[in-house]
Amino acid sequence: MTSPYLDVAELLLKLKNCVVLTGAGISAESGIPTFRSKDGLWEKYDPMVYASIEVFRTNPSKYWQIRGDFIRNYDSYEPNAAHGALVELENLGIVRLVITQNIDGLHRKAGSRRVVEIHGSLREIICQRCDRTYLAPNIPGGDPPHCECGGVLKPNTVLFGEQLPTEALEAAIRESSRCRVMLVIGTSSVVYPAAHLPVVAKQHGAKIVEINIERTIPDADFIILDKAASAMTRLIEAIETLQRTSTE
Ligand code: OAD
């Protein structure tokens, strides 16, 4: 059997025009918990209570109570080798865009230039009364933070029951329909519309490559079952090997 790494490396070098879709799994090795894995956030807390916009409007303390279990200090996390590999692939002219469900900002921190954050970002919190926006690297645990006007602050992220940011979603669908390869890294592929993006890509003729410790896309063309950081490191090595042999 040939190595999936060499097969995928060959595919990326040949087709280029790759769009990446990432989920919580790519940040797991940066120390940020996933949602649905064993010990994940939604294994401990019901998201329909703790992360729903309906509940947030009447009882924002539910969200703020558990927020510290996820990310308390936005600035304290570092990108890992998988985020770094996506920057290298962008520099090589292979990756055109990273679409992420993650709200941790680690793709931008790693240096990816073209990133669409379809679930928003924890970078900012917004007043629910006057719309004033604050930069929010540190989040207090427990009680909801308030704006100077007295309004409750909400992170600039999508809670269950909320619409995704229109511009980001439109860009994600458009670019998914235009790519020739989609790399899907570390997502359980159960939350829509994100989970629909590989379907859009495949319908338009793209090859789908899944990198995950479990298989979530049954009809992916290639599957690499490994943790994101080691998988992406090996993928970059395979690309470098092919580039070397083609110039020898
Ligand atoms: P999930 O927690 O649902 O899925 C994480 C995926 O990452 C699983 O398929 C794991 O197998 C995989 N995984 C875990 N560790 C990994 C590693 N080291 N390397 C590679 N893969 C690994 O996270 P998402 O799919 O991102 O929504 O969840 C989607 C959305 O549900 C989130 O954006 C969030 C959540 O509720 C909102 O906040 C709106």
Side-chain angles (χ1 to χ4, degrees):
M1 202 171 78
T2 58
S3 145
Y5 292 99
L6 281 175
D7 291 344
V8 173
E10 207 169 18
L11 184 83
L12 289 172
L13 284 168
K14 188 167 134 210
L15 299 182
K16 296 203 163 71
N17 190 354
C18 171
V19 165
V20 183
L21 173 66
T22 65
I26 196 169
S27 295
E29 290 158 272
S30 293
I32 299 175
T34 60
F35 298 97
R36 294 174 185 80
S37 311
K38 193 175 153 289
D39 298 329
L41 212 58
W42 300 156
E43 294 297 312
K44 287 191 269 179
Y45 304 106
D46 179 353
M48 293 311 155
V49 174
Y50 289 90
S52 116
I53 186 63
E54 216 175 302
V55 176
F56 188 92
R57 284 196 186 113
T58 53
N59 189 359
S61 56
K62 282 280 178 221
Y63 170 87
W64 288 110
Q65 257 170 31
I66 69 151
R67 175 45 208 285
D69 282 20
F70 180 51
I71 291 180
R72 192 182 294 280
N73 182 351
Y74 176 80
D75 283 338
S76 67
Y77 297 90
E78 293 303 325
N80 63 55
H83 298 98
L86 293 181
V87 180
E88 282 188 51
L89 291 179
E90 187 177 10
N91 291 341
L92 287 170
I94 292 173
V95 162
R96 217 159 37 72
L97 179 71
V98 177
I99 302 167
T100 188
Q101 298 166 82
N102 299 344
I103 54 182
D104 55 34
L106 291 182
H107 287 298
R108 289 187 200 279
K109 196 169 187 181
S112 285
R113 293 180 295 279
R114 294 203 63 213
V115 181
V116 173
E117 295 168 315
I118 54 175
H119 290 167
S121 164
L122 288 177
R123 200 176 304 118
E124 296 167 347
I125 43 178
I126 298 181
C127 176
Q128 295 299 278
R129 190 188 288 168
C130 73
D131 283 339
R132 181 167 169 187
T133 300
Y134 297 80
L135 279 180
N138 288 296
I139 296 298
D143 294 337
H146 286 83
C147 177
E148 277 175 8
C149 80
V152 170
L153 295 170
K154 176 188 168 294
N156 194 5
T157 61
V158 177
L159 296 181
F160 284 98
E162 278 190 298
Q163 296 292 325
L164 271 63
T166 311
E167 212 179 299
L169 180 60
E170 281 175 3
I173 295 171
R174 188 179 59 243
E175 298 302 326
S176 298
S177 72
R178 289 180 182 166
C179 67
R180 297 191 71 195
V181 186
M182 180 173 271
L183 265 188
V184 185
I185 309 174
T187 174
S188 55
S189 305
V190 295
V191 172
Y192 285 80
H196 188 58
L197 297 174
V199 179
V200 171
K202 195 159 178 99
Q203 278 168 351
H204 287 81
K207 298 285 184 199
I208 308 297
V209 179
E210 172 158 43
I211 296 178
N212 199 316
I213 50 176
E214 61 173 359
R215 187 167 195 150
T216 73
I217 307 178
D219 61 349
D221 299 281
F222 298 87
I223 170 92
I224 293 176
L225 284 174
D226 196 356
K227 289 187 173 179
S230 60
M232 290 307 295
T233 302
R234 290 183 68 185
L235 187 56
I236 294 287
E237 282 165 8
I239 288 175
E240 286 168 353
T241 303
L242 290 179
Q243 283 178 321
R244 257 197 321 276
T245 47
S246 76
T247 54
E248 273 166 11

